[in-house]
C-alpha cells in the first residue's frame, strides 16, 4: 500500500510502498478515506518534535472504513492512561513513532475509533480529531468555560483555534479573535465572532478593552513576547489556556498583575479518551461542521505541507485518499 513516511529530518514525507498491516485481535483494519494535516506534522519533518522514528508513516488525523462499510474517526491520542488530569509517560500521538494516517490502510486498536458522526462527510470527519480534542479540553476541562463568558481565541487561522471558536460559540459564549490577517478576522466574524483584532497592531489590547472591557478566558498557541498582551486584557479571575509556543518563550510577565487579578495560566495538551468521546458528542449535539480550507489528493501531500508552512490557511488542510 501507499504510505508517506518520515525518511530523513529536513525532508518532506516520502512515498513508500508498505504491506497492508496485519491486525491483532483488539485491532480494526481501516481503509483510510481521508486524513488531515496538523502543525505537528511540520515540526516532525523539521526534527522539532520528540520521539521521531525514521520510516514511520506520518499523519495523526484520519477517517476510514472497516470491511463492513462502517466509517470511523480515529482518536490520535494513544495511551493517555487513567488519570484525567494529565497523560501517562508513554502517551503518544498517532503518526510517528506509531504508523499513522498518511497511508491507504491503518491497523488501529478498537478503543481508538468512534463511529463517524452522521452529519459529517468523511473529509470533515478527518479534519476533526487532533485539533478538536485539543480545543475541547483547553476550553472545557482546563479553562472551565461557562456559558455567557467572554473568550479570546488568538491566531484564528489555526486548526485548533477555529474549533475553539466554534465550540465556544456553540456553548453560548461571546468570542473575540486575533489574527495576523484582516481577511481571516473578517471570515471569523462571518462565522459568529463578535470582533477581531490584528495581533501586530500595537493598539489592539487597548482597542479590545475599550470595546469589550476584558475577557474571562483566553485560548492561545503562540506564547512568546505577545503573551504579556494577553494578560492585559484579562478580567479578574480569568483563565488562559495555552497549547503551543510557536512564538517562543513567554517573557515580560508581571507577577503582580497575575496574582492580584487571580489569573490562572493553564498548560494543556490534546485530551484523554474521555475528552475525545465528549468532544465528538458535543460536535454531534451542536451539529458543528469543521472548517476546511483546502482538500488535496493524498499524492499532493507536499502541497498541503507548503501551504501550512506559509500560514495562509483558514481552517484545516485535508487529504482525500
Ligand atoms: N499541545 C497540544 O496538544 C497541541 C495540539 C495541537 C497543536 N499544538 C501546537 O499549537 C500550534 C498551532 O497548531 P495548529 O495545528 O492549529 O497550527 P496551524 O493550523 O498552522 O495554526 C497556526 C496559527 O498560529 C497563529 N499565529 C501565528 N503567529 C501568531 C502570533 N504572533 N500570535 C497569535 N497567533 C499566531 C496563526 O494564526 P493567524 O493565521 O490567524 O495569524 C496560525 O494560523 C502549533 O505550534 C502546534 O504544534 C499543540
Amino acid at each position: 500500500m501507499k504510505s508517506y513516511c518520515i525518511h530523513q529530518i529536513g525532508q518532506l514525507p516520502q512515498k513508500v510502498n508498505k504491506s497492508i498491516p496485519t491486525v491483532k485481535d483488539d485491532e480494526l483494519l481501516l481503509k483510510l478515506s481521508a486524513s488531515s494535516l496538523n502543525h505537528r506534522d511540520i515540526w516532525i519533518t523539521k526534527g522539532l518534535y520528540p520521539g521521531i522514528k525514521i520510516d514511520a508513516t506520518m499523519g495523526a488525523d484520519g477517517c476510514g472504513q472497516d470491511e463492513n462499510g462502517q466509517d470511523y474517526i480515529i482518536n490520535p491520542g494513544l495511551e493517555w492512561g487513567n488519570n484525567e488530569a494529565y497523560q501517562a509517560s508513554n502517551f503518544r500521538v498517532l503518526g510517528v513513532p506509531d504508523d499513522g494516517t498518511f497511508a491507504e490502510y491503518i491497523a488501529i486498536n478498537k478503543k481508538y475509533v468512534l463511529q463517524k458522526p452522521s452529519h459529517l462527510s468523511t473529509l470533515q470527519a478527518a479534519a476533526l480529531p487532533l485539533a478538536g480534542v485539543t480545543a475541547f479540553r483547553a476550553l472545557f476541562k482546563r479553562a472551565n468555560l461557562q456559558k455567557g463568558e467572554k473568550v479570546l481565541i488568538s491566531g484564528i487561522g489555526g486548526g485548533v483555534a477555529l474549533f475553539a471558536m466554534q465550540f465556544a460559540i456553540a456553548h453560548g459564549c461571546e468570542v473575540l479573535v486575533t489574527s495576523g490577517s484582516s481577511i481571516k478576522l473578517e471570515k471569523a466574524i462571518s462565522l459568529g465572532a463578535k470582533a477581531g483584532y490584528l495581533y501586530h497592531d500595537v493598539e489592539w489590547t487597548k482597542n479590545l478593552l475599550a470595546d469589550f472591557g476584558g475577557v474571562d478566558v483566553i485560548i492561545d498557541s503562540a506564547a512568546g513576547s505577545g503573551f504579556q498582551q494577553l494578560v492585559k486584557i484579562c478580567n479578574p479571575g480569568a483563565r488562559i489556556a495555552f497549547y503551543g509556543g510557536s512564538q517562543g518563550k513567554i517573557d515580560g510577565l508581571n507577577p503582580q498583575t497575575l496574582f492580584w487579578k487571580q489569573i490562572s495560566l493553564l498548560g494543556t495538551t490534546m485530551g484523554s479518551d474521555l475528552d475525545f468521546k465528549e468532544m465528538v458528542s458535543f460536535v454531534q449535539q451542536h451539529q458543528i461542521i469543521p472548517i476546511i480550507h483546502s482538500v488535496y489528493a493524498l499524492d499532493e501531500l507536499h502541497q498541503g505541507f507548503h501551504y501550512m508552512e506559509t500560514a495562509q490557511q483558514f481552517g484545516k488542510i485535508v487529504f482525500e485518499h
Side-chain angles (χ1 to χ4, degrees):
M1 67 166 184
K2 193 184 340 181
S3 95
Y4 282 86
C5 300
I6 175 81
H7 192 52
Q8 194 178 309
I9 299 300
Q11 229 181 39
L12 290 177
Q14 300 298 301
K15 183 153 72 167
V16 173
N17 195 15
K18 285 189 175 177
S19 23
I20 294 175
T22 45
V23 285
K24 302 188 192 109
D25 284 351
D26 55 358
E27 289 180 334
L28 266 184
L29 181 69
L30 297 183
K31 185 172 191 326
L32 288 154
S33 36
S35 58
S36 78
L37 194 60
N38 290 287
H39 217 97
R40 169 181 190 268
D41 302 306
I42 306 273
W43 299 134
I44 289 173
T45 57
K46 292 183 173 170
L48 299 173
Y49 205 86
I52 295 175
K53 185 178 154 211
I54 295 298
D55 290 335
T57 302
M58 290 187 62
D61 280 339
C63 176
Q65 203 170 67
D66 71 3
E67 58 185 8
N68 301 316
Q70 173 63 52
D71 290 314
Y72 292 96
I73 59 167
I74 302 168
N75 174 3
L78 311 179
E79 309 283 353
W80 177 278
N82 297 323
N83 193 335
E84 287 300 315
Y86 53 89
Q87 68 274 35
S89 58
N90 58 340
F91 173 76
R92 306 175 307 285
V93 182
L94 183 63
V96 185
D98 304 75
D99 282 335
T101 57
F102 296 160
E104 288 179 286
Y105 291 89
I106 190 169
I108 184 87
N109 193 301
K110 290 173 188 161
K111 68 182 175 187
Y112 298 127
V113 300
L114 290 179
Q115 290 194 1
K116 176 182 78 63
S118 53
H119 73 290
L120 298 182
S121 69
T122 54
L123 295 175
Q124 291 162 345
L128 180 63
L130 191 151
V133 75
T134 305
F136 187 84
R137 181 176 175 86
L139 284 173
F140 300 117
K141 301 299 178 81
R142 301 294 280 137
N144 192 22
L145 181 67
Q146 301 297 308
K147 196 178 161 86
E149 286 191 311
K150 264 183 264 178
V151 188
L152 177 90
I153 316 284
S154 72
I156 197 58
V160 181
L162 267 171
F163 281 118
M165 180 182 88
Q166 291 181 288
F167 295 173
I169 291 171
H171 196 56
C173 295
E174 206 170 10
V175 176
L176 313 174
V177 299
T178 68
S179 179
S181 143
S182 43
I183 294 167
K184 292 184 186 184
L185 294 180
E186 280 164 28
K187 284 186 182 168
I189 290 167
S190 75
L191 291 166
K194 285 279 177 272
Y197 301 88
L198 290 166
Y199 49 65
H200 295 310
D201 175 359
V202 285
E203 299 281 303
W204 82 264
T205 52
K206 225 188 257 178
N207 294 337
L208 183 147
L209 285 168
D211 297 342
F212 292 93
V215 299
D216 308 300
V217 166
I218 298 177
I219 306 295
D220 179 63
S221 75
S225 55
F227 200 85
Q228 55 182 302
Q229 305 299 324
L230 302 181
V231 175
K232 288 188 188 160
I233 58 162
C234 280
N235 285 335
R239 293 87 72 203
I240 306 178
F242 60 99
Y243 57 90
S246 63
Q247 303 304 302
K249 289 194 174 147
I250 295 170
D251 57 15
L253 281 191
N254 178 351
Q256 282 80 4
T257 313
L258 290 171
F259 67 68
W260 188 251
K261 286 169 90 177
Q262 311 267 357
I263 294 168
S264 302
L265 301 185
L266 304 159
T268 187
T269 279
M270 290 188 55
S272 67
D273 296 0
L274 178 66
D275 295 336
F276 188 77
K277 219 169 160 179
E278 288 181 7
M279 181 276 291
V280 173
S281 302
F282 184 89
V283 165
Q284 218 153 3
Q285 183 194 340
H286 295 281
Q287 299 281 293
I288 290 166
I289 309 273
I291 293 154
I292 293 178
H293 184 275
S294 43
V295 179
Y296 295 98
L298 184 59
D299 279 337
E300 296 169 331
L301 194 88
H302 289 185
Q303 287 184 45
F305 273 73
H306 288 309
Y307 209 87
M308 181 172 266
E309 274 210 281
T310 51
Q312 298 171 65
Q313 80 277 11
F314 183 87
K316 294 286 292 181
I317 295 169
V318 175
F319 303 110
E320 192 166 17
H321 292 209

